Amino acid sequence: MKCASAARAGLTAVAVLAMLAVSGCREDDAGLPPASPSGQASGPASPTPAAERSGPRTLVDAPRAGGLDKLTGDGALTDVPVDPGEMRDGMTLVTGNYGKPGGQGAPVLFEGVDHVPEDTNERREHLFRGMLEYIQWDPELGQPEARPVEPGPLGGSVECLLASLSEDGNVVCGWADEGTAAVALFEDSTPADAGKLFVEMRGDLER
């Protein structure tokens, strides 16, 4: 009789275990976090480190910009053609004529400043006005409208304006970013061509 009772008890235990296996009930289902593919419990995701912001950029007196050479000798600038605005300690003024090798075509006049203490858009507007005075633009013809240009990898804002009554002529382009502002004069050009070259030159003039 004792053997029969033990046998029935064993069969009952086997039946209970079989039911638990069919129902999918496991000991680790009771409030434990799911296992990761490596077999370890997954924890909270690590926060992504924030990208470090670079400081204000500076301008460099580049000997070559956008495929154009800085002119020396008779083609070099002898003075500052455009009033750069108030210059304070720590600011750098960069000017230059840049031309194609062999002296083909009119040179590109560049002028820019870095470590600008005020809104760089305001400094760019100042440089725009100075460049229009330099080419003796007649104010009675109206104010040329500056249009945005794709700024390229350096970001910020790039604009070009056509100071001509025809579809080509004098084009003035300027950029403004966190700490620098600059303009350049492209003679006998179009806003599209001047804007593209200006962005290429910027890549060599700004660091």
Side-chain angles (χ1 to χ4, degrees), residues 135-153:
I135 64 174
Q136 299 180 347
W137 173 256
D138 188 351
E140 293 185 0
L141 297 176
Q143 179 70 23
E145 182 181 358
R147 298 184 179 277
V149 174
E150 176 58 43

Side-chain angles (χ1 to χ4, degrees), residues 26 58 83 94 107 120 125 143 174 179:
R26 300 181 309 178
T58 59
D83 175 19
V94 175
T120 54
E125 290 300 318
Q143 179 70 23

